[in-house]
Amino acid sequence: MSKENNWPSKPCLAPLTSVNIMPNGQYRPCCWFWNEPRKDADGNNVQHHSVRNTTLDQYRNEVLMPMYKDMEQGKYPGGCFKCNTKARSRWDYYERLYSDVRADNPKHVGLRTLDLRFGNLCNASCITCNFTNSSYFDKVQKQGYWLMEGENAHIPSSEARKEEISATMNWYEDPSVEADIISKLQDIDHLYVTGGEPTINPMLHKILQHLIDDNRASEITLEMNTNGTNMNGKFASLIKPFRKIVMFFPTKFSAIEKNIAKCKEQMGHEDRLLITPTVNIHNFFALTQLFDWCNTNGYRVADRLNILSQPHWQNIAQIPKGMLDTQLLKLEEVGQPKAAKEMRVRIENKSAFAAKESANNKWNHGGQEHKEVTWQDSLDLTRKWFESRGYDLKLTNIPDFL
């Protein structure tokens, strides 16, 4: 446990009400929890609890319920360190949703939130992503497009490493895992899904259809993180009965524009559609245009913007300070002071700069170790990505390319 003492006065409700299944199939109580290495009494590594070795009931009864009991005694596990803060935390989120479920016997509380992150099955190869999160990078590499190769890059350098990663990401293909998850949906009221790309994942289709057949869809909030490229008629009709929060991470903009319109047709008056840009060097200088497009079309941008940490060379921490400050001022001038303030605060708290500090000593590319990732490195790598695909560098609005 951290020496800081900003822990909540009440135990967190995540262990009582929530399970998160990571892209590699490992369990967590929530998306903020950090799975630390597990050791036995002799110091040997022990396999993490995952869908491959533990059922949902086993994980809740053997891990999460004792965790909640420890929290009642003020003993928070090390993996909860992000909530040891004076700022709003994930604890607040669960408290807002489920404060009515506190009980003397936590075993009587059903699973309410299920957070599913479906491996790396995806249909896109976004510049901010990598093979660990999208199997599509393998196809793109074979088509001859430039990708940064390496352990912390777009794609591993060897086929053996690709196979090793893929073997940990295909848990959703196991019929027994699918059956176990579907059998535990009776108390669910919030379903969060991402990937990979969730809209093309067959397990998600089966889960949604099960909830529809069980006449429970209208009681469930479906929060979906999608690249927005696959909102076909069949899938759109599948999500229609649910209460929806749909978040788009922009990829190919022409496809997104069309599919956002399709999605909106399926949304009821209580549903929400959020545009959640992942702010990085390639869209930072075009944020004013994005906000203008959203305002024109009546789309809401998420209150809390994502700031990309990795890959390091795409982090906005790489942007020279004068250039950074000028663009933040432009955001304020076009009526987005909240977004500008959010980025300033998070940069001052080093949430963006942490990755750069790490990169200064660890970045390795093409067999050459770099002591520091420079702005020129970022520009050179951006040029390689864009030119190999025939893209116009001016689309980024990066001043160096205008």
Side-chain angles (χ1 to χ4, degrees), residues 306-326:
N306 294 302
I307 296 180
L308 185 77
S309 294
Q310 297 183 42
H312 304 307
W313 60 276
Q314 297 177 45
N315 190 311
I316 62 173
Q318 301 298 335
I319 301 172
K321 188 176 186 305
M323 204 181 287
L324 186 77
D325 289 341
T326 298

Side-chain angles (χ1 to χ4, degrees), residues 42 144 161 185 216 224 254 362:
D42 298 320
R161 180 58 179 147
L185 298 175
R216 297 201 55 237
M224 186 169 62
S254 59
K362 297 182 180 178

Side-chain angles (χ1 to χ4, degrees), residues 176-203:
S176 64
V177 172
E178 179 184 293
D180 184 48
I181 290 174
I182 288 178
S183 71
K184 301 300 182 297
L185 298 175
Q186 61 269 20
D187 295 313
I188 292 293
D189 56 31
H190 195 109
L191 179 63
Y192 176 91
V193 294
T194 186
E197 171 50 38
T199 63
I200 64 173
N201 194 286
M203 181 186 282

Side-chain angles (χ1 to χ4, degrees), residues 33-214:
F33 191 86
W34 186 265
N35 273 348
E36 299 174 304
R38 297 180 66 217
K39 304 283 186 179
D40 61 19
D42 298 320
N44 300 311
N45 290 330
V46 177
Q47 196 173 24
H48 276 289
H49 296 285
S50 81
V51 294
R52 292 184 173 86
N53 58 36
T54 310
T55 67
L56 267 170
D57 275 348
Q58 286 175 324
Y59 179 66
R60 295 191 74 221
N61 293 331
E62 297 173 11
V63 179
L64 295 186
M65 298 310 162
M67 183 186 295
Y68 182 79
K69 286 294 187 182
D70 283 344
M71 289 178 178
E72 287 184 312
Q73 304 302 316
K75 301 174 184 177
Y76 280 79
C80 290
F81 69 91
K82 291 183 181 180
C83 284
N84 184 10
T85 175
K86 294 178 181 178
R88 286 182 61 187
S89 66
R90 203 64 180 167
W91 180 92
D92 297 281
Y93 170 84
Y94 286 100
E95 193 68 19
R96 175 172 55 83
L97 284 181
Y98 301 128
S99 59
D100 61 316
V101 305
R102 292 189 187 279
D104 292 333
N105 187 351
K107 290 187 178 182
H108 291 165
V109 178
L111 180 62
R112 302 282 292 276
T113 287
L114 185 59
D115 181 337
L116 299 174
R117 305 186 176 219
F118 290 110
N120 70 346
L121 178 64
C122 192
N123 61 345
S125 55
C126 306
I127 191 171
T128 57
C129 197
N130 54 55
F131 180 79
T132 301
N133 296 289
S134 171
S135 55
Y136 202 74
F137 276 89
D138 191 43
K139 180 178 181 180
V140 168
Q141 184 183 50
K142 290 172 180 174
Q143 291 173 338
Y145 294 109
W146 179 84
L147 295 172
M148 180 186 281
E149 295 185 5
E151 190 60 27
N152 297 308
H154 288 124
I155 197 162
S157 302
S158 70
E159 291 299 317
R161 180 58 179 147
K162 289 182 196 175
E163 292 174 5
E164 182 183 355
I165 291 172
S166 296
T168 69
M169 297 290 172
N170 62 358
W171 57 267
Y172 54 84
E173 297 178 353
D174 188 328
S176 64
V177 172
E178 179 184 293
D180 184 48
I181 290 174
I182 288 178
S183 71
K184 301 300 182 297
L185 298 175
Q186 61 269 20
D187 295 313
I188 292 293
D189 56 31
H190 195 109
L191 179 63
Y192 176 91
V193 294
T194 186
E197 171 50 38
T199 63
I200 64 173
N201 194 286
M203 181 186 282
L204 175 60
H205 289 231
K206 292 176 182 178
I207 288 173
L208 297 180
Q209 190 60 58
H210 172 84
L211 292 168
I212 291 171
D213 294 342
D214 206 29

Side-chain angles (χ1 to χ4, degrees), residues 191 193 208 220-224 239 242-246:
L191 179 63
V193 294
L208 297 180
I220 295 171
T221 296
L222 171 63
E223 189 171 352
M224 186 169 62
I239 67 173
F242 293 84
R243 300 196 301 256
K244 295 173 286 298
I245 302 174
V246 182

Side-chain angles (χ1 to χ4, degrees), residues 18 73 83 101 106 134 151 226 252 255-256 261 265 304 306 322 331 345 355 362 364 375 391:
S18 171
Q73 304 302 316
C83 284
V101 305
S134 171
E151 190 60 27
T226 172
K252 187 176 180 181
I256 285 176
E265 292 174 1
R304 185 176 174 85
N306 294 302
L331 279 173
V345 168
K362 297 182 180 178
N364 186 291
W375 178 235
Y391 297 162

Side-chain angles (χ1 to χ4, degrees), residues 386 391-398 401-402:
F386 274 64
Y391 297 162
D392 186 354
L393 285 162
K394 293 180 180 179
L395 289 172
T396 66
N397 271 15
I398 295 175
F401 295 142
L402 298 180

